[in-house]
Amino acid sequence: QSALTQPRSVSASPGRSVTLSCTGTSSDVGGSTFVSWYQQHPGRAPKLILYDVNKRPSGVPDRFSGSKSGNTASLTISGLQAEDEADYYCCSYAGTSYVFGTGTELTVL
Amino acid sequence: QVTLRESGPALVKPTQTFTLTCTFSGFSLTTTGMSVSWIRQAPGEALEWLARIDWDDDEFYSTSVKTRLTISKDTSKNQVVLTVTTMDPVDTGTYYCARLTPYGASFDYWGQGTLVTVSS
């Protein structure tokens, strides 16, 4: 299975909103309600920030939201903060396998 | 409190077989719906899912490396073990174990990861 496609890098200013995309196929993102997103700071383990497309685990701020349309899932971060600067990975679960995205490096200018 | 910790050799020679252990606490792999996976990340690269083992002993593998992987569990020790045969320099990276949400759709708790270098 090929990795899901994410933009390599995105930048935005503090306080603004940014949307990160994750594009797959009908065999993964398009055919699954189980899309999750992970935030990874340099040298750290990934952290789950969204699951089942748009659900937030306890402790994740509501500035993080998710959606899906067709074969593309999206992560929107509103009210950007310096601490949001990190790599973001999407992941699609298709019954017996998982495919991650190529990752987006988010820079908060 | 759920925690996971990976352990294993930091340096492996090409062609060797390599074993990583994930020791966890705060949950049990005898609980219905529980699963643990292994995920790796080559330096500067994206995450790659490798394998999953379920509470009922079901095993699932990435098709790209399936023939070289074995995942197993020891519930008495709260451990999950990943064995990789025929190691190659392209297998160099940080290996993470992670717990899955019940019935396994996303990874809710991760270990800190362990860096494995394959080099002669």
Side-chain angles (χ1 to χ4, degrees), chain A residues 1 8 34 36 38 40 43-48 50-52 89 91-93 95-103, chain B residues 37 39 41 44-49 52 60-63 96 100-101 103-113:
Chain A
Q1 240 172 338
R8 178 169 286 274
F34 301 119
S36 51
Y38 302 85
Q40 186 180 34
R44 303 294 298 273
K47 172 189 173 184
L48 178 67
L50 287 176
Y51 66 98
D52 295 356
Y89 293 93
C91 181
S92 175
Y93 170 54
T96 59
S97 68
Y98 304 80
V99 59
F100 283 95
T102 51
Chain B
S37 265
I39 295 145
Q41 186 172 35
E45 299 294 326
L47 301 166
E48 178 189 11
W49 175 74
R52 178 184 116 194
F60 304 94
Y61 297 95
S62 167
T63 54
Y96 297 98
L100 287 107
T101 50
Y103 299 99
S106 51
F107 309 97
D108 59 356
Y109 289 92
W110 295 64
Q112 63 187 17

Side-chain angles (χ1 to χ4, degrees), chain A residues 27-96:
Chain A
S27 297
D28 39 62
V29 174
S32 175
T33 58
F34 301 119
V35 177
S36 51
W37 288 88
Y38 302 85
Q39 177 191 63
Q40 186 180 34
H41 287 107
R44 303 294 298 273
K47 172 189 173 184
L48 178 67
I49 56 172
L50 287 176
Y51 66 98
D52 295 356
V53 176
N54 56 14
K55 297 184 174 70
R56 281 177 288 107
S58 173
V60 174
D62 59 6
R63 302 186 295 104
F64 294 87
S65 61
S67 62
K68 193 187 82 160
S69 177
N71 296 337
T72 298
S74 299
L75 163 67
T76 298
I77 310 172
S78 58
L80 270 174
Q81 300 180 3
E83 67 212 47
D84 298 331
E85 185 163 293
D87 292 331
Y88 290 84
Y89 293 93
C90 59
C91 181
S92 175
Y93 170 54
T96 59

Side-chain angles (χ1 to χ4, degrees), chain B residues 54-92:
Chain B
D54 293 350
W55 79 99
D56 59 358
D57 296 325
D58 276 347
E59 301 167 22
F60 304 94
Y61 297 95
S62 167
T63 54
S64 63
V65 287
K66 179 177 183 175
T67 58
R68 300 171 49 219
L69 300 181
T70 303
I71 190 170
S72 61
K73 63 183 174 68
D74 185 334
T75 53
S76 67
K77 294 182 180 178
N78 279 351
Q79 290 181 335
V80 171
V81 174
L82 181 73
T83 301
V84 187
T85 61
T86 322
M87 290 291 280
D88 184 272
V90 300
D91 296 315
T92 293

